[in-house]
Amino acid sequence: MSCESVERDLDAYLDRELDAESSAGVREHVRSCASCRRQLAQRESLARLVRAAPYYSPPDRLRTRVLVQTTRSQSVRRIFTWAAAAVLVLSVGAGITLWRPAPGRGDVIADEVVNGHVRSLMANHLFDVQSTDRHTVKPWFLGKLDFSPPVIDLASIGFPLVGGRLDYVGGRSVAALVYQRQKHTINVFISPEGDDRSTRDLVLTARGFNLRHWIHNGMSFWAVSDLNSAELSEFTSALRSS
Ligand SMILES: [Zn+2]
């Protein structure tokens, strides 16, 4: 199956409208094609968001209405379904998440964030400074970066800070703080806001990892982990309100 046909069938695949053979074709292609896998993950995370969004009537009802109204062709119908979903996500928004059909700066950074996370675990280079004491971790960055990252310990709610290191994301040196949740590692990449033009909050899944992005006090934050989405949200909202 080619990337083009996978792309064409992706929505139908997610909507479980493909026959078994085409479904298997998409699944098989996505296993070996990173770019289509990314697309699928983006669609899935949008679908999840729509399902999880508050103030929102059941998606099935909306879908039924959209389907009834647009009977012309499958593709028109799908465009309407996804467009309606996207509009809903945006209107529910109050800064929750942005979904963009074309890859934007945020997606590129997200990819680098995942790379940084994987690299830190694979190369056994998680720490330059290994300490649960933020008064040790924060000063360590002094003189190594042209900014001072906020260093917060969340041990009291089960997300202990375990260290930090320098990393490289989006073409610049960034602070990476490392947190632990049981067996899971959370990397938080911090850099000054100006370098990262995506100012909106992002909730993403990429290559099986959960990602969160937000801007706070002039700093851009990216959190990434294999931790489940709910616990990562708990972590990031605690970090944001600290
Ligand atoms: Zn492909």
Side-chain angles (χ1 to χ4, degrees):
M1 214 169 183
S2 69
C3 291
E4 288 74 29
S5 34
V6 168
E7 194 167 344
R8 193 195 55 224
D9 288 349
L10 213 48
D11 291 332
Y13 172 75
L14 278 171
D15 292 345
R16 296 197 176 80
E17 290 172 356
L18 288 184
D19 58 64
E21 194 185 337
S22 314
S23 251
V26 171
R27 254 196 314 277
E28 195 174 325
H29 178 94
V30 161
R31 246 197 305 266
S32 61
C33 175
S35 134
C36 290
R37 197 157 56 233
R38 202 155 44 232
Q39 287 227 29
L40 179 63
Q42 280 175 354
R43 304 284 177 93
E44 278 173 340
S45 82
L46 170 67
R48 253 198 311 279
L49 251 166
V50 169
R51 279 197 300 272
Y55 328 119
Y56 176 60
S57 57
D60 288 349
R61 245 173 53 205
L62 165 81
R63 169 166 302 187
T64 313
R65 231 173 52 220
V66 173
L67 294 190
V68 169
Q69 281 167 6
T70 52
T71 49
R72 271 177 296 167
S73 78
Q74 289 225 326
S75 56
V76 168
R77 199 185 86 189
R78 290 217 171 82
I79 287 164
F80 272 85
T81 312
W82 283 109
V87 165
L88 268 162
V89 168
L90 290 173
S91 58
V92 168
I96 295 180
T97 279
L98 178 72
W99 177 75
R100 280 164 303 185
R105 171 96 172 131
D107 300 311
V108 175
I109 303 252
D111 211 45
E112 290 192 28
V113 165
V114 171
N115 286 341
H117 181 68
V118 171
R119 206 167 48 226
S120 75
L121 300 174
M122 270 173 40
N124 208 5
H125 182 224
L126 202 50
F127 307 108
D128 289 331
V129 51
Q130 186 164 9
S131 169
T132 55
D133 179 9
R134 67 193 186 86
H135 300 295
T136 304
V137 175
K138 188 174 171 73
W140 181 86
F141 286 105
L142 258 178
K144 300 183 178 74
L145 292 167
D146 56 2
F147 63 95
S148 179
V151 179
I152 293 152
D153 184 22
L154 294 174
S156 60
I157 57 156
F159 297 95
L161 171 76
V162 287
R165 68 177 186 283
L166 288 182
D167 212 309
Y168 197 76
V169 171
R172 71 158 292 146
S173 294
V174 303
L177 297 181
V178 185
Y179 292 84
Q180 205 79 43
R181 173 68 157 192
Q182 284 136 11
K183 294 255 154 72
H184 305 276
T185 298
I186 306 169
N187 266 297
V188 179
F189 297 96
I190 307 172
S191 59
E193 173 188 9
D195 298 335
D196 180 345
R197 303 250 167 235
S198 55
T199 53
R200 289 179 186 82
D201 295 1
L202 291 170
V203 174
L204 295 172
T205 316
R207 283 181 271 159
F209 295 99
N210 284 309
L211 289 93
R212 300 286 184 279
H213 169 252
W214 69 99
I215 302 278
H216 185 63
N217 282 346
M219 294 283 172
S220 160
F221 294 78
W222 280 94
V224 54
S225 182
D226 64 333
L227 188 63
N228 67 70
S229 190
E231 283 181 279
L232 188 61
S233 289
E234 186 192 333
F235 168 76
T236 52
S237 43
L239 200 57
R240 296 176 72 157
S241 57
S242 295

